[in-house]
Amino acid sequence: MNNQIKNGIALSLIPQIILVKWLGSYPNLIETYYSKGLYPIIAKFSRTVLGWIPFSVGDILYAILFFFAFRYLILKRKEIRKFPKAFVRNIFMVLSLAYFLFHLFWGFNYYRIPISTTLALKETHSTEELVLFTEKLIEKTNEVQYAITADSTEIVKIPYSKKEILDKSIHGFEVLQKQIPFLEYVRPSLKKSLFSTPLTYMGYGGYLNPFTNEAQVNSKLPNFRFPGVCGHEVGHQLGYSAENETNFIGYLVTSQNEDIYFKYSAYSSALSYCLSDIKRRDNATFEKLYGRLNTGIKKNFQEVADFWQDYENPMEPVFKSIFNSFLKANNQTKGIKSYNSVVSLLVTYHLESPL
């Protein structure tokens, strides 16, 4: 490839960014022609080609790319020092290609119509509505916890392997699509990440590979949290990029699952978000509501807290800060805090569909 072509590709990054932001200001256009038009075709093709492979092809590709990038830096270090401008140009050329492919294969979904609009949900909720929903959620979670253990003080242990949870999660979408047809999930590609240990140290439960459309789940997660994360990552595959929306989809598919352990995982996870939101608003109300939880549920919450604490490290805040900036650059103004915005979706959805 000659220098003129390389320069052209590198410089194209700037007009690409301008074009993406301009198109992103027309969510109806994105929804119609990309999220419901081009993207499903690309996604289904990718999942058809790679979904049947039992391991993560995307993880292997990332590892190969990292290896060759590191090899290039070592072997070409003298040339890099001698021609620094060419090196910077090459970096921007790679970034330009990645930016183009990212938005073509998945990234334009950041600018689609919100799922709250599609489901005709209110955009906000009152504190009173939140408290009433949380009280009902506590009743349901206590009820399911006791139905499983027959002992309110006993921790719930989901008795399935990670592979079984993956399979049951896929089946859950077959149930959910009967209620919400646009969440149909065909040609599944849901896998355990080969990078589960690094993901844990980074503080992530999983990710969608936008280039291969494989949903990657951190296999080190406690089984108690694994079903919801599976649903969350499939939500990304279905073309929903906002983290609150995929948390919501993860809740819907897990709570609608016929399996009682999945229902418990969904209710308890939603409950943790709601209680956290209440604690930020009114600690006294939080303490009152938290006191109503069965002891077994509290033990499950502590299990998750202990898991993440065991992997705390100085680099985790750095990775989360990078991801926070990435989200803000892609139309999620709340950044990493958008995960917690699922509470509004939960409350307003259940105003129309009570628990």
Side-chain angles (χ1 to χ4, degrees):
M1 188 183 299
N2 63 46
N3 286 331
Q4 190 173 1
I5 295 175
K6 290 181 179 180
N7 291 340
I9 294 174
L11 290 172
S12 71
L13 179 60
I14 296 173
Q16 281 189 73
I17 293 172
I18 295 172
L19 179 62
V20 166
K21 296 305 178 184
W22 178 72
L23 289 173
S25 64
Y26 297 94
N28 286 304
L29 187 71
I30 297 294
E31 183 77 14
T32 302
Y33 294 103
Y34 181 78
S35 296
K36 291 184 176 179
L38 178 62
Y39 172 72
I41 297 171
I42 294 173
K44 288 176 184 176
F45 175 77
S46 297
R47 297 202 299 268
T48 299
V49 173
L50 301 176
W52 63 274
I53 301 174
F55 55 84
S56 171
V57 176
D59 281 354
I60 292 175
L61 290 177
Y62 279 160
I64 292 173
L65 288 172
F66 179 80
F67 169 77
F68 279 105
F70 184 74
R71 181 175 179 270
Y72 173 82
L73 292 174
I74 297 299
L75 297 180
K76 300 288 186 177
R77 60 188 184 278
K78 292 182 180 179
E79 185 177 328
I80 291 170
R81 285 197 295 266
K82 188 175 181 180
F83 303 104
K85 290 182 180 180
F87 175 64
V88 172
R89 187 271 316 278
N90 290 342
I91 289 176
F92 276 94
M93 184 180 69
V94 171
L95 289 175
S96 181
L97 289 170
Y99 189 83
F100 173 79
L101 293 174
F102 171 75
H103 284 91
L104 175 64
F105 290 158
W106 185 75
F108 271 115
N109 287 311
Y110 276 114
Y111 304 95
R112 71 181 302 179
I113 293 174
I115 197 171
S116 58
T117 302
T118 306
L119 291 173
L121 302 179
K122 292 196 310 178
E123 291 189 8
T124 59
H125 64 275
S126 67
T127 299
E128 181 182 6
E129 289 169 338
L130 171 59
V131 171
L132 288 174
F133 172 64
T134 304
E135 289 176 337
K136 183 62 179 176
L137 200 52
I138 288 172
E139 292 177 15
K140 292 288 291 185
T141 312
N142 281 342
E143 176 187 315
V144 177
Q145 184 273 337
Y146 189 80
I148 292 172
T149 64
D151 183 348
S152 63
T153 67
E154 187 71 25
I155 191 172
V156 172
K157 295 288 187 182
I158 296 182
Y160 309 132
S161 68
K162 292 298 195 300
K163 177 63 168 61
E164 288 173 322
I165 294 176
L166 292 174
D167 292 339
K168 286 177 178 288
S169 296
I170 293 170
H171 174 69
F173 276 95
E174 297 173 6
V175 177
L176 181 62
Q177 72 183 44
K178 296 174 184 177
Q179 179 184 346
I180 307 177
F182 67 81
L183 293 180
E184 179 187 24
Y185 183 43
V186 296
R187 299 179 180 86
S189 183
L190 180 61
K191 306 176 182 183
K192 294 183 289 184
S193 175
L194 300 176
F195 299 149
S196 290
T197 297
L199 284 175
T200 307
Y201 280 107
M202 294 165 69
Y204 300 146
Y207 77 100
L208 174 72
N209 188 313
F211 304 108
T212 63
N213 212 260
E214 295 169 293
Q216 322 278 353
V217 189
N218 182 344
S219 62
K220 287 191 170 296
L221 290 174
N223 277 11
F224 165 61
R225 277 286 187 259
F226 202 69
V229 177
C230 290
H232 175 107
E233 299 307 332
V234 171
H236 282 313
Q237 277 186 317
L238 295 177
Y240 290 90
S241 55
E243 301 300 336
N244 63 320
E245 295 182 345
T246 48
N247 270 351
F248 180 58
I249 292 170
Y251 164 79
L252 288 177
V253 70
T254 309
S255 64
Q256 295 298 317
N257 200 296
E258 299 156 350
D259 190 283
I260 192 171
Y261 289 99
F262 274 60
K263 291 184 181 294
Y264 176 73
S265 179
Y267 293 148
S268 56
S269 179
L271 182 57
S272 68
Y273 279 113
C274 290
L275 287 172
S276 294
D277 201 21
I278 290 172
K279 187 174 184 178
R280 285 191 293 270
R281 298 174 184 229
D282 184 347
N283 191 65
T285 301
F286 163 77
E287 293 291 348
K288 179 182 177 182
L289 292 172
Y290 188 76
R292 298 182 188 178
L293 297 184
N294 288 351
T295 303
I297 300 171
K298 296 177 182 177
K299 289 179 179 178
N300 275 125
F301 286 165
Q302 190 60 49
E303 175 190 16
V304 174
D306 290 343
F307 169 78
W308 289 115
Q309 187 174 3
D310 287 343
Y311 287 91
E312 278 188 356
N313 64 92
M315 289 302 296
E316 181 182 338
V318 176
F319 290 123
K320 288 192 173 180
S321 177
I322 293 171
F323 187 50
N324 184 58
S325 299
F326 171 81
L327 291 176
K328 288 183 177 180
N330 285 280
N331 207 38
Q332 295 194 53
T333 56
K334 293 184 179 179
I336 206 166
K337 292 181 180 179
S338 61
Y339 282 86
N340 296 320
S341 299
V342 67
V343 172
S344 287
L345 291 171
L346 291 169
V347 173
T348 55
Y349 176 79
H350 282 295
L351 287 174
E352 303 298 327
S353 305
L355 278 173

